[in-house]
Amino acid sequence: MIVHLATEAGRRTLAHVSDRSQPLGSAIEVVQYRQIPERSSWPRGLYLFTDMERATSEETRLAVKLHGVLQAHEGAVRTLNHPTDHLKRFELLRTLYEAGVNDFNVYRASEVGEEMRYPAFLRYTDRHIGPLTSLLHSRAELDAALSELVEAGHPIDRLLAVEYLDTSDPEGVFAKYGAFRFGPHVVAGHMFASVGWNAKRESDRRDLVGSREVEWLQSFAERDQVLAAFQVARLEYGRMDYALKEGRVQVWEINDNPSMGTTFFKRRWFSRTRARRIMRPRRKAAFQDLLAGLDLAGAPLAFQIGLD
């Protein structure tokens, strides 16, 4: 059994894998954090603590309590991700910049100083929707864009100012890579290619998605760099989105509640059939390895987590 713990808003990211005939080799049970006090029986298996950026303070407290109790049942369960002991986006990106891993710096939007390098853009600290602005080429442009966002209802304390880094290849193509971590396993997931700097989901270079992605999945030369960044973040489960600049990983974010393959991954015109045939068995094998060695045949664990 794989138990996926998430908020109500994030409960579908793993469940739909089975819905779309992409089985992981195990049943999946989704438990929302707010439902934790309602349960007194817990299955044996792998527990994924995810979606913590969206969790309320009460949900976080419940998650921490559950995580602590589960640690006493070693052999029956395995947990990935601690609910609080990890770096969030700002702290992670700043740490990676200061360590010389990333070549770009980030600032809280309310604390941008003269050291900011332009161009830059604004985005959320805790959402996975990409940039909120186009590239901003001066402090005046950044201030104007920030004022517009705040007036439109975007809370300034949840906004980041990010220095732009050109990661295009000699042909002007930007590639965004996504790699998953499942405990000790790091698995290459997908690649997008675009002539636009924000290669979030768009792939207007579909020829590269078909050919270059397969080559990348087969080589995955930057695996150790990706694992090292996950270790800095102290996240054991999630998807890292990054670019490559002269062979060096440039981390954009780590999503602790990643989708395993939504509709746009399945469209034929992405020519991803070969890529999926490589990636999906690796993903399934990683989950199966995490479940191996656990005593899954015994009775469910009996305990209840209180609200106090």
Side-chain angles (χ1 to χ4, degrees):
M1 174 69 73
I2 299 172
V3 181
H4 176 208
L5 292 137
T7 67
E8 182 178 7
R11 69 188 186 281
R12 292 291 297 163
T13 59
L14 194 59
H16 73 69
V17 173
S18 295
D19 295 346
R20 297 178 186 276
S21 300
Q22 303 174 49
L24 300 179
S26 176
I28 299 170
E29 181 174 357
V30 181
V31 178
Q32 297 177 41
Y33 291 118
R34 62 181 178 82
Q35 297 173 329
I36 289 175
E38 303 170 6
R39 299 184 58 119
S40 58
S41 178
W42 297 87
R44 296 165 177 255
L46 176 66
Y47 282 72
L48 308 176
F49 286 80
T50 76
D51 206 27
M52 294 309 303
E53 289 179 334
R54 287 190 289 205
T56 65
S57 57
E58 181 177 285
E59 289 173 327
T60 300
R61 287 194 296 272
L62 291 169
V64 169
K65 287 183 179 181
L66 175 61
H67 187 275
V69 173
L70 290 173
Q71 300 312 296
H73 296 277
E74 184 179 358
V77 302
R78 177 172 286 121
T79 63
L80 294 186
N81 291 348
H82 188 280
T84 58
D85 186 21
H86 59 268
L87 298 185
K88 296 184 178 180
R89 183 177 298 162
F90 171 77
E91 290 80 9
L92 173 63
L93 297 183
R94 174 60 62 83
T95 300
L96 292 175
Y97 173 74
E98 292 176 344
V101 176
N102 277 355
D103 292 338
F104 64 94
N105 205 350
V106 296
Y107 302 86
R108 298 190 188 279
S110 59
E111 300 174 353
V112 174
E114 296 302 320
E115 67 274 19
M116 182 86 187
R117 295 179 297 182
Y118 296 91
F121 59 90
L122 295 167
R123 68 169 306 178
Y124 267 96
T125 63
D126 55 0
R127 297 181 66 183
H128 305 279
I129 59 175
L132 296 170
T133 67
S134 58
L135 292 181
L136 308 168
H137 296 273
S138 67
R139 177 62 184 267
E141 289 187 14
L142 187 143
D143 287 344
L146 184 58
S147 294
E148 290 182 6
L149 289 172
V150 172
E151 289 177 6
H154 299 275
I156 192 171
D157 60 339
R158 292 175 58 196
L159 299 180
L160 281 184
V162 184
E163 294 176 346
Y164 169 72
L165 180 67
D166 186 348
T167 59
S168 62
D169 65 15
E171 299 178 6
V173 176
F174 294 82
K176 184 188 79 69
Y177 302 89
F180 295 88
R181 183 180 183 186
F182 309 105
H185 307 284
V186 179
V187 179
H190 65 257
M191 184 196 88
F192 296 129
S194 174
V195 294
W197 67 275
N198 178 24
K200 181 68 174 173
R201 292 186 177 182
E202 301 82 359
S203 280
D204 45 28
R205 286 298 305 272
R206 299 170 190 169
D207 55 321
L208 295 180
V209 175
S211 60
R212 189 182 294 179
E213 182 181 34
V214 170
E215 296 175 4
W216 168 68
L217 286 169
Q218 292 172 334
S219 63
F220 196 31
E222 69 275 16
R223 178 194 179 278
D224 289 346
Q225 294 183 62
V226 171
L227 176 57
F230 266 111
Q231 290 171 333
V232 169
R234 298 195 295 274
L235 285 171
E236 302 159 309
Y237 172 77
R239 187 193 70 234
M240 180 183 299
D241 291 340
Y242 62 95
L244 290 171
K245 188 172 181 64
E246 299 176 351
R248 294 174 52 242
V249 166
Q250 301 292 310
V251 180
W252 303 131
E253 66 177 329
I254 297 179
N255 186 342
D256 71 349
N257 190 28
S259 171
M260 293 291 168
T262 50
T263 302
F264 61 87
F265 281 118
K266 294 169 69 65
R267 292 173 181 162
R268 295 289 183 184
W269 49 261
F270 270 105
S271 302
R272 299 197 73 248
T273 301
R274 288 182 62 200
R276 291 197 299 270
R277 288 173 179 171
I278 295 171
M279 181 268 293
R280 288 178 181 174
R282 294 175 179 175
R283 181 180 64 191
K284 179 179 178 179
F287 275 114
Q288 289 305 293
D289 183 69
L290 287 165
L291 288 163
L294 294 177
D295 179 9
L296 303 176
L301 308 178
F303 61 83
Q304 193 158 15
I305 303 295
L307 284 169
D308 55 332

